[in-house]
C-alpha cells in the first residue's frame, strides 16, 4: 500500500513539474485573462483608454467593417486632454471621420468605463459592440461591462489588442508583463471573492 501511495505521489509531482516547465499554467493564465471571440459585425466598437495599441486595433476593426461607430472611454489623467480625446486624435490621424466617434470623458477606472459608456449605448440605441482593451485587461473589463449591462440585453464581443507587448504565450518573460499579470489576477480574485467591481 505504501509503495502504491509513493508511486502515485511521485507521479503527481512529475506531472506537475512537467506542466510547470512546459509553461502550461502560465499559458492557461494568459488565456483566461485574454478572452477573444470570433467577431460578427456590431453596432459599435468600445475602446477603454490605455496603451496606444488599443486604439490601433480598434481602427483596424473599424476599417475592416466590423462597426461604423467608435466609443472612446477615458477621463483626463494629467494635463487638460482626456484620454478619450487623445484617442480621437489618433483615430482621426488614421482616417476615421469624427462623426463616427463618440467620446466618454468621465471614466477614471474600469468600472466607470462601463458605467458611463452604458449611458451612451442606451442613448445611441446600441444593441451590440466589440470591446477592445489590452489582452491582460480584457477579462476584467469584459466581466465589469457584463455586470453593469446585465439588464440591458446588449451583446458584448471580446477583441483584445493584437498590438500589445503582453502576449498569452510569453508574458512571463517580461518583468513588466509579469507585474501586470499578477495585478490583474489579484483584482479578478477580489472581484470573485467580494462581488465588488468598483
Amino acid at each position: 500500500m505504501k509503495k502504491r501511495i509513493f508511486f502515485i505521489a511521485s507521479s503527481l509531482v512529475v506531472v506537475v513539474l512537467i506542466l510547470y516547465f512546459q509553461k502550461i499554467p502560465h499559458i492557461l493564465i494568459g488565456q483566461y485573462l485574454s478572452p477573444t471571440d470570433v467577431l460578427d459585425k456590431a453596432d459599435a466598437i468600445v475602446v477603454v483608454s490605455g496603451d496606444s495599441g488599443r486604439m490601433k486595433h480598434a481602427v483596424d476593426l473599424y476599417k475592416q467593417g466590423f462597426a461604423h461607430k467608435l466609443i472612446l472611454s477615458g477621463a483626463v489623467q494629467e494635463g487638460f486632454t482626456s484620454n478619450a480625446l487623445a484617442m480621437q486624435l489618433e483615430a482621426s490621424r488614421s482616417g476615421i471621420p469624427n462623426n463616427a466617434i463618440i467620446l466618454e470623458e468621465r471614466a477614471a477606472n474600469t468600472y466607470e468605463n462601463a458605467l458611463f459608456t452604458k449611458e451612451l449605448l442606451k442613448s445611441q440605441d446600441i444593441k451590440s459592440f466589440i470591446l477592445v482593451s489590452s489582452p491582460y485587461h480584457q477579462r476584467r473589463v469584459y466581466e465589469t461591462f457584463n455586470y453593469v449591462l446585465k439588464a440591458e440585453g446588449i451583446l458584448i464581443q471580446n477583441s483584445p489588442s493584437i498590438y500589445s507587448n503582453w502576449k498569452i504565450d510569453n508574458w512571463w518573460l517580461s518583468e513588466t508583463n509579469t507585474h501586470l499579470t499578477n495585478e490583474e489576477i489579484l483584482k479578478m480574485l477580489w472581484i470573485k471573492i467580494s462581488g465588488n467591481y468598483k
Side-chain angles (χ1 to χ4, degrees):
M1 183 67 175
K2 287 182 180 178
K3 285 183 179 180
R4 186 170 180 222
I5 292 172
F6 178 77
F7 175 76
I8 291 170
S10 300
S11 298
L12 285 173
V13 169
V14 169
V15 168
V16 167
L17 288 173
I18 289 171
L19 290 174
Y20 179 81
F21 286 109
Q22 290 295 315
K23 303 301 181 188
I24 302 300
H26 301 65
I27 292 169
L28 291 174
I29 288 168
Q31 289 173 340
Y32 172 75
L33 290 179
S34 185
T36 305
D37 295 316
V38 177
L39 299 180
D40 290 320
K41 286 190 176 182
D43 295 332
I45 299 163
V46 173
V47 191
V48 297
S49 63
D51 64 77
S52 62
R54 299 180 187 189
M55 195 64 242
K56 189 174 181 184
H57 184 71
V59 166
D60 286 352
L61 295 176
Y62 178 91
K63 290 183 174 180
Q64 291 167 29
F66 281 105
H68 298 296
K69 289 181 183 175
L70 289 173
I71 298 177
L72 311 178
S73 177
V76 175
Q77 296 295 319
E78 54 186 54
F80 301 100
T81 303
S82 71
N83 287 347
L85 182 56
M87 289 193 292
Q88 180 183 25
L89 296 172
E90 189 177 341
S92 296
R93 286 193 295 270
S94 300
I96 307 299
N98 284 334
N99 62 7
I101 298 172
I102 302 166
L103 298 183
E104 184 292 293
E105 299 182 275
R106 295 183 291 160
N109 57 49
T110 301
Y111 179 77
E112 289 183 357
N113 287 134
L115 188 66
F116 298 143
T117 299
K118 175 183 176 180
E119 298 171 12
L120 295 175
L121 295 170
K122 291 176 72 175
S123 69
Q124 296 287 320
D125 197 32
I126 289 170
K127 302 299 184 189
S128 64
F129 66 90
I130 298 167
L131 183 59
V132 174
S133 188
S134 299
Y136 63 85
H137 182 233
Q138 191 72 33
R139 170 69 61 181
R140 184 160 60 92
V141 74
Y142 167 71
E143 292 198 7
T144 303
F145 268 77
N146 202 43
Y147 172 78
V148 169
L149 296 171
K150 62 187 170 189
E152 305 301 327
I154 297 173
L155 176 66
I156 307 171
Q157 300 179 70
N158 286 296
S159 189
S161 170
I162 63 171
Y163 297 106
S164 174
N165 290 326
W166 190 99
K167 305 292 184 190
I168 286 173
D169 56 0
N170 67 10
W171 58 263
W172 56 90
L173 300 178
S174 158
E175 187 176 336
T176 299
N177 290 339
T178 299
H179 177 72
L180 288 170
T181 303
N182 290 339
E183 275 195 340
E184 284 301 314
I185 290 169
L186 289 173
K187 288 174 181 177
M188 287 303 305
L189 282 173
W190 171 248
I191 288 170
K192 297 299 183 188
I193 292 167
S194 69
N196 185 1
Y197 288 80
K198 296 181 182 179

